[in-house]
């Protein structure tokens, strides 16, 4: 039997259309990108994770000469939050933005490995973690849940 899965997401015509809270989180993600260590790709990514209590934990991509040893901004942020605040593993929203080598903001959609990691924290907390992705000057996408970005995720 053929089955169809639909994904719902919101698209905004730029950061100005976001709520103040999401706009602020996106600005924090952009600031966090300055902490990227990306001498190989020269592509800086910033991620800002807002916890349920309002605390924001940021991350940026960290590369390594042994390429697979590096880590994306999204996992850097959520692993840092989980490690620093294990008693507060309650995540509300994650904003992500890329900054290219010309300093221009650009799209950063979470990679498959990051989706899997984010999905597990979302499943553990039992309610959705929103994902706010910068696309370009005139487009920001908001996913209401990580599950929308990774249906049929691996669970153990
Ligand atoms: N990267 C992220 O940090 N997040 C993403 O969503 C996609 C890719 C990083 C990994 C690598 O350091 C650089 O961007 C180029 O792939």
């Amino acid at each position: 039997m053929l089955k169809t899965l639909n994904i719902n997401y919101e698209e905004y015509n730029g950061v100005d259309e976001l709520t103040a809270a999401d706009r602020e989180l996106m600005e924090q993600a952009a600031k966090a990108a300055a902490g990227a260590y990306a001498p190989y790709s020269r592509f800086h990514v910033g991620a800002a994770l807002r916890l349920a209590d309002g605390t924001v934990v940021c991350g940026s991509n960290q590369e390594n000469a042994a390429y697979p040893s590096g880590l994306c901004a999204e996992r850097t942020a959520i692993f840092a939050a989980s490690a620093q605040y294990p008693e507060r593993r309650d995540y509300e929203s994650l904003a992500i933005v890329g900054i290219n080598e010309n300093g221009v903001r650009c799209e950063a959609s979470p990679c498959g490995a990051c989706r899997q990691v984010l999905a597990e924290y979302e499943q553990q907390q039992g309610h959705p973690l929103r994902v706010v992705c910068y696309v370009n000057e005139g487009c920001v996408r908001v996913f209401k849940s990580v599950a929308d970005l990774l249906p049929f995720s691996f669970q153990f």
Side-chain angles (χ1 to χ4, degrees):
M1 185 196 289
L2 176 67
K3 298 193 176 185
T4 305
L5 187 70
N6 289 308
I7 301 170
N8 294 308
Y9 61 94
E10 298 163 356
E11 216 167 69
Y12 294 88
N13 298 317
V15 288
D16 291 345
E17 281 195 359
L18 296 175
T19 62
D22 282 353
R23 198 163 50 243
E24 172 60 22
L25 200 63
M26 187 57 81
E27 286 314 306
Q28 290 186 265
K31 276 195 195 126
Y37 173 68
Y40 305 102
S41 71
R42 298 175 196 268
F43 187 71
H44 293 193
V45 183
L49 179 68
R50 188 166 54 231
L51 278 54
D53 70 353
T55 304
V56 174
V57 177
C58 290
S60 53
N61 53 327
Q62 303 296 318
E63 298 183 350
N64 189 271
Y67 291 0
S69 302
L71 199 65
C72 295
E74 297 91 321
R75 274 176 288 168
T76 302
I78 204 158
F79 286 157
S82 177
Q84 285 181 69
Y85 307 112
E87 72 293 354
R88 287 193 261 157
R89 286 194 188 109
D90 193 347
Y91 308 120
E92 197 255 317
S93 296
L94 176 71
I96 312 156
V97 60
I99 314 253
N100 71 16
E101 51 191 303
N102 299 318
V104 176
R105 289 186 190 190
C106 43
E107 180 168 1
S109 185
C111 78
C114 286
R115 291 178 195 209
Q116 177 66 35
V117 166
L118 295 170
E120 180 156 328
Y121 287 106
E122 179 177 82
Q123 286 152 18
Q124 284 293 323
Q125 69 185 22
H127 62 85
L129 163 57
R130 299 168 66 252
V131 181
V132 183
C133 297
Y134 187 92
V135 179
N136 58 46
E137 218 183 341
C139 184
V140 178
R141 291 192 188 119
V142 178
F143 298 88
K144 287 194 183 302
S145 166
V146 176
D148 293 328
L149 285 166
L150 190 68
F152 306 112
S153 65
F154 178 75
Q155 293 183 49
F156 189 70

